[in-house]
Amino acid sequence: APTDAVEPTDLLGEWAFDRRIVERDRGRAQFGRVTGTLRFTRDGEAVDWRERGTLTWNGQQLAVFRDLRIVRRGDGWVVVFDHGGDFHPWQPGAPVVHPCRADTYRGLVAVDRDRRLLRVLWDVTGPGKDRRLLTRARRTADGAAP
C-alpha cells in the first residue's frame, strides 16, 4: 500500500549489520560473513549509505567498506555507487536487477513496518560467479537532526 512506502529518509541513523555470504563453486560452498555498522545520513537531497565492517573469509579477517548514495530522480529514488554509476532503483519490497559486465545481480530490499529492521538479498550469477549475499541490519540509533 502507498502508506507503507519506505523513503530513504525513513532510515536515517545508525544500524548494526550482519551479512552472510555463500559462494558456490563447482558443487561446494564457501561461507563468509561481514559484521559492522551501517549509517544513513542526509546530504542535501540525497541520503548517504555508508558501511564499515570486518569480513571473515577462510579464517582471515579484513576491514571492508562500501559507500552508496540514494538520490532523488524524477518521482522516485535511485541507489548509485560512489563513482556515480547507477546501481538499482530504490523500491523496497520489489525485485531489482543490476547487470554488471557479464554478471547479473538480482536483489530485494525489505524494510519492516516500524523501520527498525532492514534486509537486503542479492543473488549474483555469471560466468565466474554464483553467490548469495544476505544482509540483516537492525537500527541502533535514530539519525533525526535537530
Side-chain angles (χ1 to χ4, degrees):
T3 56
D4 290 332
V6 178
E7 296 289 321
T9 52
D10 295 340
L11 305 180
L12 297 177
E14 193 163 307
W15 302 66
F17 79 91
D18 185 345
R19 176 172 299 131
R20 303 300 173 111
I21 304 164
V22 180
E23 180 82 36
R24 297 176 287 262
D25 182 27
R26 293 185 270 300
R28 70 181 193 96
Q30 290 184 296
F31 301 91
R33 185 174 185 184
V34 178
T35 56
T37 58
L38 163 58
R39 180 171 287 151
F40 291 100
T41 55
R42 187 187 298 269
D43 180 15
E45 289 297 307
V47 173
D48 287 336
W49 171 329
R50 300 190 188 283
E51 298 178 6
R52 301 293 181 267
T54 302
L55 167 66
T56 303
W57 189 265
N58 288 330
Q60 305 273 328
Q61 291 195 329
L62 180 68
V64 293
F65 71 94
R66 181 168 74 162
D67 293 336
L68 301 169
R69 282 176 66 81
I70 310 171
V71 298
R72 192 179 296 277
R73 204 158 303 138
D75 61 355
W77 295 85
V78 177
V79 180
V80 298
F81 293 106
D82 59 354
H83 58 70
D86 287 358
F87 188 6
H88 62 85
W90 175 258
Q91 298 175 317
V96 293
V97 176
H98 171 71
C100 182
R101 297 182 197 85
D103 302 320
T104 302
Y105 287 67
R106 289 179 176 79
L108 182 70
V109 174
V111 181
D112 73 335
R113 189 175 298 275
D114 67 3
R115 315 303 197 250
R116 315 271 323 152
L117 177 64
L118 168 71
R119 291 183 310 274
V120 182
L121 172 67
W122 286 106
D123 280 311
V124 186
T125 56
K129 289 185 181 174
D130 186 1
R131 180 179 303 150
R132 173 168 276 190
L133 302 105
L134 176 59
T135 303
R136 291 177 52 94
R138 291 198 174 276
R139 188 184 290 275
T140 58
D142 290 340

